[in-house]
Amino acid sequence: MGVWNPHSWQAFPALQQPEYPDPSALEAVLARLRRLPPLVVPDEVDRLRQLLAEAALGKRFLLQGGDCAEQFRDCQPETIADKLRVLLQMSVVLTHIGRRPVIRVGRIAGQYAKPRSNPTEQVRGQEIPSYRGDLVNGLEATPESRRPDPERMSQAYFHAAATLNFIRGLIDGGFADLHHPERWELPRQSHRAYRAVLDQVRESLEFLATLGNLERGALERIDFFTSHEALLLPFEEALTRWVPEQQSHYNLGAHMLWVGDRTRVPGGAHLEFLRGLANPIGVKAGPGAAPEDLVRILEFLDPHQVPGRITVVTRFGAGRIRELLPPLVRAVRRAGRVVLWCCDPMHGNGVTSGRGLKTRRFDDILSELRQCFELHREEGSRLGGVHFELTGEDVTECTGGIEGLSEADLPRAYETGCDPRLNGTQSLEMAFLIAQVLRDEGRPGGLLAPASR
Ligand code: PEP
Ligand code: CO
């Protein structure tokens, strides 16, 4: 293993990178990005790593979610507030029913780059570059819009900054205050079970307040963290900074970064880049992840076994998780490593609808999640988090859920730039179903019950 620095990745093969036609234009943008202020600060990154370390031990639960591909055009107050709101709603349900404090991590304020299966696609008889996310090129299916444009990196930085600034403002302004969870009702939402949870939360708060038990400010304070896939390496490198107080390099473009299932190849540039950062790192593991490769990746990324450093995000599909997850869990345990296991029940459950739209069925998503909890329990391990593609908006991209969306409903509000997301109602319903599993695990005889530990 050679000496690491923020550009040492350049000596390794980098998958999924666009070809920029004008290297001097690329360098000009990167030079500007390197001088701009960071989007997050090292203390926040360290705090998230500590919280994730607790989640790995079963003391907290990770909720990570947001768009598959954030788009610049969605950098609007309502869209951002809706996304924050749905994540807060889900976390209150998980905390209250599931009885575990929740760590909220958005796929937000920087989730602008997408890996693609094919570098090009056929559109109206013409071969054009695939859309690689707003960070790289435009969604519009024309050769001009699909040409990689380095100026988009600068736009991504400013859109991420605006998004995060608004989120911080909302939170500082009391948007997330547990005394006023009614602020998080989605406009069209009439979820009776959710209202009942809010009433219970309110009652418990009043009760605790009468006992004088509440730490001042504890409920007004809320942690919310950002994450995205570290895919476009020149951009990620430009947001990486040396922090003298910590004597470490941090990527200060987000609190947490993850490496995708397509780019987590041993010997590749993505792992080389990530290994030198102090940030918590997610590693996506799909059906192609061999147990011995995963262990190698973990040893490479985290040689000193820093608590909270690694979250393994598995995404196999409801039909394959039973065959594929247990060997990974056993291999990681045999290697003597502790990781936070997180379930992404979205990316292994894609199907194409009769009308050719990419979709996912609510029941497949739920089935993978339930099996994931169960399989970890059978292996003497524990599932410590969930990872969703979701939005607060009333889209029709995934089928099923209490509204019973069918394939015929999909074209009505199909707006994703990439993969299909759960809408606000489906997300909240999912949170209730997960919370019940968490609650049952905590009961006598359950996985998290004190007697069984
Ligand atoms: C994603 O999270 O949007 C993604 C592309 O996932 P994966 O790397 O697991 O395929
Ligand atoms: Co996706």
Side-chain angles (χ1 to χ4, degrees):
M1 214 188 289
V3 175
W4 185 92
N5 61 48
H7 54 263
S8 56
W9 63 268
Q10 293 177 11
F12 296 80
L15 296 173
Q16 299 279 344
Q17 305 299 295
E19 293 267 339
Y20 289 102
D22 178 356
S24 61
L26 172 64
E27 187 39 46
V29 172
L30 294 174
R32 204 174 337 134
L33 283 175
R34 284 194 285 267
R35 288 192 301 268
L36 286 165
L39 298 175
V40 304
V41 297
D43 279 359
E44 296 167 344
V45 174
D46 291 341
R47 170 154 171 79
L48 175 59
R49 207 184 44 245
Q50 284 154 15
L51 294 174
L52 293 170
E54 292 176 18
L57 301 177
K59 296 179 187 154
R60 296 181 185 274
F61 195 73
L62 168 66
L63 170 64
Q64 190 174 13
D67 291 312
C68 179
E70 251 183 311
Q71 293 179 255
F72 297 162
R73 67 161 195 221
D74 289 335
C75 186
Q76 297 184 36
E78 304 78 33
T79 313
I80 297 165
D82 277 354
K83 215 170 293 157
L84 182 59
R85 203 177 268 134
V86 79
L87 287 166
L88 291 171
Q89 289 179 323
M90 292 173 81
S91 71
V92 94
V93 168
L94 289 169
T95 303
H96 193 72
I97 303 181
R99 307 233 168 258
R100 231 168 327 157
V102 171
I103 311 165
R104 305 161 201 88
V105 179
R107 287 175 65 116
I108 202 166
Q111 176 49 23
Y112 298 122
K114 298 310 300 171
R116 303 315 303 244
S117 311
N118 298 310
T120 59
E121 63 177 329
Q122 290 287 334
V123 177
R124 292 179 291 275
Q126 195 181 12
E127 189 174 12
I128 61 170
S130 297
Y131 173 59
R132 290 182 177 275
D134 279 10
L135 182 56
V136 175
N137 58 7
L139 180 58
E140 196 196 340
T142 64
E144 301 74 47
S145 138
R146 292 289 172 85
R147 190 172 304 130
D149 177 1
E151 197 47 41
R152 285 178 165 272
M153 292 190 210
S154 168
Q155 291 175 30
Y157 170 89
F158 287 108
H159 281 91
T163 303
L164 189 51
N165 180 58
F166 186 56
I167 291 174
R168 291 192 195 275
L170 283 173
I171 290 174
D172 286 349
F175 184 78
D177 186 342
L178 262 179
H179 292 101
H180 297 285
E182 70 280 358
R183 289 178 193 160
W184 321 333
E185 298 211 14
L186 293 170
R188 283 187 64 264
Q189 206 159 283
S190 56
H191 206 304
R192 286 221 323 271
Y194 176 62
R195 293 246 159 77
V197 167
L198 289 192
D199 288 341
Q200 286 169 24
V201 169
R202 224 173 269 125
E203 275 170 32
S204 323
L205 288 181
E206 280 162 18
F207 178 65
L208 286 172
T210 55
L211 296 179
N213 263 357
L214 283 181
E215 188 196 333
R216 250 180 79 109
L219 296 166
E220 289 81 5
R221 255 201 333 259
I222 182 209
D223 287 319
F224 185 86
F225 300 96
T226 61
S227 69
H228 63 255
E229 177 171 351
L231 184 65
L232 186 64
L233 293 174
F235 177 77
E236 298 301 335
E237 178 192 325
L239 292 176
T240 297
R241 310 288 161 89
W242 171 249
V243 177
E245 296 78 17
Q246 306 297 343
Q247 290 289 298
S248 299
H249 280 91
Y250 286 70
N251 181 315
L252 297 178
H255 300 107
M256 181 178 190
L257 297 160
W258 76 84
V259 59
D261 192 43
R262 293 173 181 79
T263 50
R264 50 146 186 77
V265 285
H270 289 83
L271 293 182
E272 171 62 20
F273 173 69
L274 289 169
R275 85 176 161 98
L277 304 178
N279 304 62
I281 302 298
V283 178
K284 290 282 207 105
E292 58 282 6
D293 279 348
L294 179 63
V295 170
R296 250 176 89 196
I297 292 169
L298 301 182
E299 287 168 348
F300 183 73
L301 287 178
D302 182 29
H304 306 299
Q305 304 222 39
V306 175
R309 162 83 171 151
I310 304 282
T311 301
V312 177
V313 186
T314 60
R315 29 87 84 223
F316 298 120
R320 302 201 62 191
I321 184 171
R322 181 157 286 280
E323 153 210 355
L324 295 167
L325 178 66
L328 291 192
V329 174
R330 285 174 211 153
V332 170
R333 194 186 24 236
R334 263 199 313 273
R337 305 193 66 94
V338 176
V339 298
L340 170 57
W341 291 99
C342 178
C343 177
D344 164 1
M346 311 301 287
H347 287 90
N349 290 309
V351 289
T352 304
S353 80
R355 294 160 185 245
L357 289 174
K358 279 204 286 185
T359 188
R360 292 156 171 162
R361 299 186 195 102
F362 188 92
D363 288 347
D364 291 343
I365 296 168
L366 182 60
S367 163
E368 177 161 1
L369 264 173
R370 287 211 161 117
Q371 292 181 69
C372 200
F373 273 106
E374 216 173 279
L375 291 166
H376 276 289
R377 181 166 41 216
E378 285 170 21
E379 295 297 324
S381 164
R382 68 166 72 76
L383 181 63
V386 287
H387 182 120
F388 290 108
E389 287 184 343
L390 55 77
T391 172
E393 288 163 294
D394 196 20
V395 299
T396 54
E397 298 171 6
C398 292
T399 57
I402 38 177
E403 292 174 326
L405 292 183
S406 70
E407 287 198 359
D409 292 313
L410 295 180
R412 196 173 70 231
Y414 193 94
E415 286 161 24
T416 178
C418 197
D419 289 337
R421 303 160 295 177
L422 295 172
N423 64 26
T425 308
Q426 289 169 327
S427 300
L428 191 53
E429 184 182 1
M430 195 60 79
F432 272 101
L433 296 166
I434 304 166
Q436 283 160 11
V437 178
L438 281 178
R439 182 196 55 197
D440 294 345
E441 283 191 340
R443 287 195 166 142
L447 178 69
L448 298 166
S452 69
R453 288 283 94 194

